Amino acid sequence: MVSIGETVTILAIESSCDETAAAVVRNGREVLSNVISSQIALHTVYGGVVPEIASRKHIEKINQVMEEALQNAGMQLSDMDAIAVTYGPGLVGPLLVGVSAAKAVSFASGIPLIGVHHIEGHISANYIENKELEPPFVCLVVSGGHSHLVVVKDYGEYEILGRTRDDAAGEAFDKVARAIGLGYPGGPKIDKVAKEGNPEAVSFPRAKVGDSDYDFSFSGLKSAVLNYLNSCEMKGIQICQADVAASFQKAVVDVLVEHSMHAVLSCGMKKFAIAGGVASNSALRRALEKECEKRGIAFYHPSPVLCTDNAAMIGAAAYYEYRKGVRHGYDLNAVPNLKLGQDMKSC
Ligand code: KG4
Ligand code: ZN
């Protein structure tokens, strides 16, 4: 255990998808450096992340990114109390690069190793800019690979209220963006174009999952958009990209907001946070801000740079694991489908 007042400085590494990232974080809340080498331009030509290419690029970049993180923080490796790394969920090749690098640095330096859950990282991004935020709270995690409604019971203690049954919210953004000719990555592009469109122009379905108040389903909405595009093409009608983007975005936002508010109220929570790449969506943030304010709920969200993949959030999560005494051995492996917490049917 760490005694109160002791300073804990962590070098954190994240490479689960298409961002090679390293950061130095002090006491879980103070970011001393945050280096992100994005591969977006590399994958744009393929319309999505190509795992093999991502792995190779991570190998090229990982050492440089770690060195830069230490340099920007004005620190040496020997100043670190732990080396933290995302070990799942994510793409196995990309994860392996980060895990191998972290193990090598830890072994060579004798500095303890801590494996971190990627989603726990996303949730913990909220601690960085909201110094007063403490569990318990409800968190909506919406990224390219995940859509979860989580009760953060304590640091590192999670109960899953709901999850997507099919596509993740970010995946739906990316697929619809491609279908309407906006390209990759879809989320930020839809967010921008939707500002010029009418969210009521096209009526898209708000999916209900019969036996669950909290689960999501976005594949039906994606199909509805594709059907709409096909029928317009068959009738020779020119689509308005901005209207389709705005109407699709509104359908996603409505469902996310409704489920989130239901969860917060049912659990009797007064605090609500969002996390993950889609949490930087401007319409979602606006809608949640309004609905939380109406209900007297404190609303927390990271800055956009801490919503999408980064290593600062891994350093934040690792601090609380470190304090609990969590240390990993050199048998730590990449776990592409790593689970988070327990399932919970209701509050
Ligand atoms: O958290 P993240 O960087 O990676 C994963 O862990 O998946 O999330 C990436 C996802 C992508 O699907 C991207 O399109 C989406 O987040 N995204 C957005 C926005 N910015 C990123 N979706 C909607 N609006 C945005 N502004
Ligand atoms: Zn992520």
Side-chain angles (χ1 to χ4, degrees):
M1 283 300 256
V2 179
S3 55
I4 303 293
E6 186 185 331
T7 297
V8 177
T9 312
I10 295 179
L11 172 65
I13 300 161
E14 155 64 42
S15 70
S16 63
C17 191
D18 60 345
E19 249 85 44
T20 323
V24 175
V25 180
R26 187 184 280 155
N27 292 343
R29 306 237 174 190
E30 194 186 342
V31 178
L32 303 183
S33 66
N34 188 21
V35 179
I36 305 170
S37 171
S38 175
Q39 304 179 1
I40 283 179
L42 202 65
H43 299 285
T44 299
V45 279
Y46 304 101
V49 178
V50 183
E52 290 306 318
I53 295 176
S55 308
R56 272 182 234 170
K57 203 68 194 169
H58 284 310
I59 294 173
E60 255 175 53
K61 288 281 174 186
I62 193 93
N63 285 345
Q64 182 192 331
V65 164
M66 284 190 291
E67 274 166 29
E68 220 174 299
L70 287 170
Q71 211 170 62
N72 292 359
M75 298 188 116
Q76 313 268 331
L77 183 60
S78 54
D79 298 324
M80 300 299 117
D81 296 292
I83 312 292
V85 65
T86 305
Y87 72 108
L91 301 169
V92 68
L95 283 168
L96 262 177
V97 177
V99 169
S100 306
K103 287 201 285 191
V105 172
S106 166
F107 182 71
S109 61
I111 299 168
L113 176 71
I114 301 175
V116 174
H117 194 293
H118 183 73
I119 301 298
E120 180 170 13
H122 273 303
I123 294 169
S124 304
N126 281 288
Y127 299 136
I128 295 168
E129 292 161 311
N130 303 296
K131 309 287 183 217
E132 76 288 7
L133 177 62
E134 305 251 13
F137 58 91
V138 171
C139 188
L140 171 71
V141 187
V142 269
S143 71
H146 312 274
S147 301
H148 281 82
L149 253 175
V150 182
V151 181
V152 183
K153 298 180 76 184
D154 201 344
Y155 293 109
E157 250 187 71
Y158 306 98
E159 279 185 346
I160 314 295
L161 276 177
R163 54 161 63 81
T164 183
R165 297 279 179 99
D166 38 59
D167 291 352
E171 202 178 341
F173 268 95
D174 293 337
K175 286 176 178 170
V176 166
R178 196 180 313 154
I180 62 174
L182 286 172
Y184 170 86
K189 291 190 173 160
I190 287 190
D191 193 349
K192 188 161 175 241
V193 168
K195 291 192 169 81
E196 314 296 325
N198 173 10
E200 312 297 337
V202 193
S203 164
F204 290 129
R206 272 67 172 156
K208 279 263 169 227
V209 180
D211 55 345
S212 167
D213 286 346
Y214 302 117
D215 279 357
F216 303 105
S217 166
F218 294 110
S219 76
L221 170 59
K222 175 195 66 192
S223 301
V225 176
L226 296 179
N227 288 343
Y228 172 79
L229 297 177
N230 283 339
S231 86
C232 286
E233 197 184 337
M234 276 160 60
K235 292 178 199 152
I237 301 168
Q238 181 76 28
I239 65 144
C240 172
Q241 210 180 37
D243 282 351
V244 178
S247 302
F248 158 76
Q249 181 173 268
K250 178 81 167 42
V252 176
V253 167
D254 281 355
V255 171
L256 293 176
V257 170
E258 192 195 321
H259 284 32
S260 299
M261 291 304 104
H262 182 41
V264 178
L265 294 179
S266 306
C267 297
M269 294 279 180
K270 283 281 162 210
K271 290 180 270 184
F272 173 70
I274 53 172
V278 182
S280 57
N281 183 269
S282 57
L284 177 65
R285 289 161 92 104
R286 236 187 352 261
L288 285 169
E289 209 156 66
K290 195 170 132 212
E291 295 305 315
C292 283
E293 198 183 330
K294 258 200 239 167
R295 294 168 175 83
I297 297 159
F299 175 48
Y300 299 91
H301 53 81
S303 296
V305 69
L306 295 173
C307 284
T308 43
D309 289 349
N310 66 87
M313 67 185 196
I314 303 303
Y319 170 70
Y320 294 99
E321 297 294 326
Y322 182 92
R323 279 185 48 163
K324 282 194 289 184
V326 172
R327 307 286 185 271
H328 283 93
Y330 297 126
D331 56 350
L332 181 71
N333 205 350
V335 184
N337 58 353
L338 188 64
K339 297 277 174 292
L340 178 81
Q342 304 291 315
D343 278 354
M344 188 160 85
K345 278 284 154 258
S346 62
C347 279

